Amino acid sequence: MSYQPGRHFLQIPGPTNVPDRVLRAMDMPTTDHRGPEFAGLTHEILDGLKKVFKTTADVIVYPASGTGAWEAALVNTLSPGDRILMFETGQFATLWRGIATELGLEVEFVPGDWRHGVDPAGVEARLKADSKGEIKAVAVVHNETSTGVTSRIGRIREAIDRAGHEALLLVDVISSLGSIDYRHDEWGVDVTVAGSQKGLMLPPGLGFNAISARALAAAEKSTLPAAYWRWQPMLDNNARGYFPYTPATNLLYALREALRMLDEEGLDNVFARHRRHGEATRRAVRAWGLEVLCLQAEEYSDALTAVLLPEGQDADRLREIILERFNMSLGTGLGKLQGRVFRIGHLGDFNDLMLAGTLCGVEMGLAAAGIPFTRGGVAAALEYLAAES
Ligand SMILES: Cc1ncc(COP(=O)(O)O)c(C=O)c1O
């Protein structure tokens, strides 16, 4: 490959573009993570994270990808053979199910069509039928990154309450935290699982668990084998400003900066920005005569849009052409959607002109790939952005 001038457009739905301010913040000498200054950094980060998760409870920061944080949520709260209710909303829900199964949990996996989120009425009915309380946890992916469908966690909480069921609620917000409104405390979530590389605008490498008092109590009884992922040593060390093992020090500098940036913009403004970009993108897709994969308007994802191509068209070929011709990466179709959809990431450090450039790249790519479509998607998006500024 020869040099490609200009910035690469990284429009996959995570990892997202890392702002220059965050890159500069990481560009620091490695520090003594047991030294006197480190505690100040830890405390600032742990306080800042609470605001983003909307919780007063503890948030654990692991040097790990999101997959590690998934595992941590399970091994701290459950015991071998425990029944867990999970939902086939897409590829990431399927992967989380795989981990639960490997850990020796009894997974009840509710089938789905990868075009809808979790149905709150279905949750209520299933839990009401569980009169013996065999289901110990309900696990939901908030924003299914493989499909661009956002499940309604508040409604799912209400469904659990209506059923009067004691199951823990575990929620994956890996591609929604810092992009789509999320409320750990208000929605009574017991473990929220997150990662650094999406709405938090950081490189990959940090995983998070926000934990409720009920989850902490469950951790005392849980007998799944765990060592690295155990919450208690982390909480004991964090209270003094330290970690039980070497943290990802430079990523923590980055996290401190990203939290300051989210605070400066204001979380409500961050969510409104994502909402606006999500709607503009969907208008572009419809104007092109293509289909948004998500079928239910109230479940549209404001972090990414999965676009379904007409039968017989290869979405990966389109992505290759766009990468080669316009130096832009789009998300591939995952699992059973491979080749059928491409995904436009519009989350993280992102603005109107970046969206305009992204949509221009898609529109030019559709033409270059010879895919039947109607021109005018970019114009439809710009019209909306101008009217909603
Ligand atoms: C919703 C969701 N859950 C889990 C994961 C897995 O996270 P990681 O790849 O960081 O292990 C991802 C990754 O994209 C994701 O989008």
Side-chain angles (χ1 to χ4, degrees), residues 8-13 15 319 322-324 326-332 343-345 358:
H8 175 67
F9 267 60
L10 180 69
Q11 295 318 135
I12 59 175
R319 288 176 48 257
I322 290 173
L323 178 60
E324 216 169 88
F326 310 117
N327 195 17
M328 175 163 75
S329 295
L330 295 168
T332 185
R343 295 171 301 143
I344 304 172
T358 301

Side-chain angles (χ1 to χ4, degrees), residues 13-15 64-68 70 92-93 95 141-146 172-176 195 197-198 204-206 334 343:
S65 86
T67 301
W70 264 345
F92 289 103
L95 291 174
V141 175
H142 182 210
N143 186 63
E144 185 37 92
T145 325
S146 61
D172 167 340
V173 299
I174 287 173
S175 62
S176 55
Q197 71 271 31
K198 314 227 183 204
L206 296 178
L334 293 171
R343 295 171 301 143

Side-chain angles (χ1 to χ4, degrees), residues 7 43 54 99 110 114 184 235 264 269 273 302 306 347 388-389:
R7 280 231 173 183
H43 289 308
K54 296 198 178 163
I99 291 175
V110 178
W114 294 41
H184 176 89
L235 293 172
E264 282 169 31
N269 295 329
R273 170 165 60 79
D302 291 324
L347 73 165
E388 294 291 315
S389 57

Side-chain angles (χ1 to χ4, degrees), residues 58-382:
D58 290 307
V59 181
I60 304 262
V61 185
Y62 294 108
S65 86
T67 301
W70 264 345
E71 181 162 338
L74 300 175
V75 295
N76 276 285
T77 52
L78 298 168
S79 299
D82 275 356
R83 182 171 283 265
I84 179 169
L85 188 60
M86 303 180 104
F87 306 86
E88 189 201 355
T89 49
Q91 178 71 359
F92 289 103
T94 304
L95 291 174
W96 199 8
R97 186 272 304 257
I99 291 175
T101 305
E102 282 212 37
L103 290 171
L105 297 169
E106 192 63 46
V107 182
E108 191 172 319
F109 199 45
V110 178
D113 66 357
W114 294 41
R115 301 192 73 174
H116 292 85
V118 174
D119 172 22
V123 174
E124 183 176 342
R126 180 63 193 94
L127 292 182
K128 275 185 173 158
D130 181 38
S131 54
K132 290 197 198 128
E134 284 173 350
I135 295 170
K136 300 298 176 207
V138 173
V140 179
V141 175
H142 182 210
N143 186 63
E144 185 37 92
T145 325
S146 61
T147 62
V149 178
T150 307
S151 287
R152 292 158 292 167
I153 305 301
R155 297 276 310 280
I156 293 165
R157 172 79 260 165
E158 287 163 16
I160 298 172
D161 291 346
R162 271 196 304 275
H165 202 283
E166 290 291 304
L168 296 170
L169 177 58
L170 317 180
V171 180
D172 167 340
V173 299
I174 287 173
S175 62
S176 55
L177 190 77
S179 301
I180 300 170
D181 190 15
Y182 182 75
R183 308 168 187 195
H184 176 89
D185 283 3
E186 188 182 322
W187 293 340
V189 179
D190 294 296
V191 188
T192 298
V193 177
S196 54
Q197 71 271 31
K198 314 227 183 204
L200 289 182
M201 311 178 287
L202 304 174
L206 296 178
F208 306 91
N209 277 181
I211 51 188
S212 72
R214 286 183 74 222
L216 261 185
E220 282 176 21
K221 298 197 200 104
S222 149
T223 58
L224 275 176
Y228 181 83
W229 302 117
R230 277 271 173 247
W231 289 335
Q232 200 54 54
M234 189 67 100
L235 293 172
D236 294 343
N237 279 267
N238 281 177
R240 298 189 301 275
Y242 298 100
F243 288 79
Y245 37 74
T246 314
T249 43
N250 287 48
L251 281 176
L252 297 183
Y253 289 133
L255 176 56
R256 173 169 62 184
E257 193 65 18
L259 290 170
R260 287 175 181 169
M261 291 165 69
L262 288 173
D263 199 45
E264 282 169 31
E265 185 177 355
L267 270 187
D268 287 343
N269 295 329
V270 171
F271 301 146
R273 170 165 60 79
H274 282 79
R275 256 197 311 279
R276 197 164 153 271
H277 289 157
E279 179 56 27
T281 304
R282 293 186 291 271
R283 284 177 187 229
V285 173
R286 283 190 215 106
W288 288 324
L290 301 176
E291 223 183 310
V292 172
L293 185 69
C294 177
L295 284 176
Q296 210 161 307
E298 57 195 343
E299 294 180 332
Y300 283 149
S301 169
D302 291 324
L304 76 136
T305 302
V307 183
L308 190 59
L309 284 191
E311 202 70 51
Q313 300 293 338
D314 180 353
D316 281 336
R317 191 177 145 262
L318 171 68
R319 288 176 48 257
E320 271 166 33
I321 289 170
I322 290 173
L323 178 60
E324 216 169 88
R325 297 273 289 267
F326 310 117
N327 195 17
M328 175 163 75
S329 295
L330 295 168
T332 185
L334 293 171
K336 67 183 188 189
L337 296 172
Q338 180 85 49
R340 296 287 294 120
V341 307
F342 67 94
R343 295 171 301 143
I344 304 172
H346 34 78
L347 73 165
D349 188 44
F350 196 60
N351 64 24
D352 285 10
L353 289 188
M354 292 165 85
L355 178 63
T358 301
L359 297 176
C360 284
V362 175
E363 189 160 322
M364 290 191 291
L366 289 166
I371 291 171
F373 80 107
T374 310
R375 286 181 193 276
V378 172
L382 296 187

